[in-house]
Amino acid sequence: MTTIGLIGSGHIGSQLSRVAIAQGYDVVLSNSRGPETLSELVAELGPQARAGTPKEAAEAADLAVVTTPLAAIPTIPVEPLAGKVVIDTNNYYPQRDGQIPELDDESTTVSEVLQRHLPDSKVVKAFNHIAWMHILEDAKPSGTEGRRA
């Protein structure tokens, strides 16, 4: 059984958790407010889900998902994600993130910013092209006609 560690459990993280559990994965959810704030979501998700700190989610992860605003990148645990695949769901929103010159002038990308923070991880960009509310409803098995991805 693979464990997916989610660093960020907002709209995207919670939807990805639902899809992962439906496919038989265990999930460890985390956020910046603490595991106790995730008790309702964990109860809804059932026994394949538990809450932890971002460090605990990173340590438990066979596969990690970072789904936080850009401002949170410095808080992402580095050591426990070394050698792991880290899925990056972020998009740059200047109205939320503030102006970031290297993103404005396109000399780097959001995923490159995360990759610099996690030099020993393998950062992969995903889920930034789908609105959070469609993640669960568009989850289809491989081979399904009209499958989105």
Side-chain angles (χ1 to χ4, degrees):
M1 176 94 38
T2 298
T3 298
I4 300 175
L6 290 115
I7 300 169
S9 297
H11 292 306
I12 295 171
S14 61
Q15 290 294 74
L16 290 176
S17 294
R18 289 176 178 96
V19 172
I21 287 171
Q23 296 302 311
Y25 295 100
D26 290 331
V27 297
V28 179
L29 299 136
S30 69
N31 65 20
S32 61
R33 295 175 308 280
E36 64 282 353
T37 66
L38 296 167
S39 59
E40 190 174 306
L41 178 59
V42 168
E44 173 201 327
L45 294 172
Q48 287 176 261
R50 69 181 172 89
T53 64
K55 183 178 183 221
E56 290 167 338
E59 289 169 346
D62 296 307
L63 173 69
V65 179
V66 171
T67 182
T68 65
L70 281 172
I73 286 178
T75 70
I76 306 300
V78 176
E79 182 75 22
L81 292 172
K84 296 182 181 182
V85 172
V86 176
I87 297 174
D88 171 26
T89 72
N90 212 329
N91 286 315
Y92 172 47
Y93 297 106
Q95 65 276 20
R96 175 195 70 189
D97 304 320
Q99 294 299 138
I100 301 172
E102 66 181 343
L103 294 174
D104 291 336
D105 70 14
E106 299 180 357
S107 62
T108 195
T109 66
V110 171
S111 291
E112 288 172 330
V113 171
L114 182 59
Q115 183 68 75
R116 275 196 314 255
H117 180 71
L118 301 171
D120 298 319
S121 301
K122 297 167 185 77
V123 174
V124 178
K125 185 67 148 180
F127 299 107
N128 65 318
H129 66 289
I130 182 170
W132 68 268
M133 73 281 294
H134 299 297
I135 291 171
L136 189 58
E137 68 187 43
D138 287 353
K140 307 278 189 275
S142 182
T144 300
E145 189 172 327
R147 182 172 181 236
R148 212 171 153 164

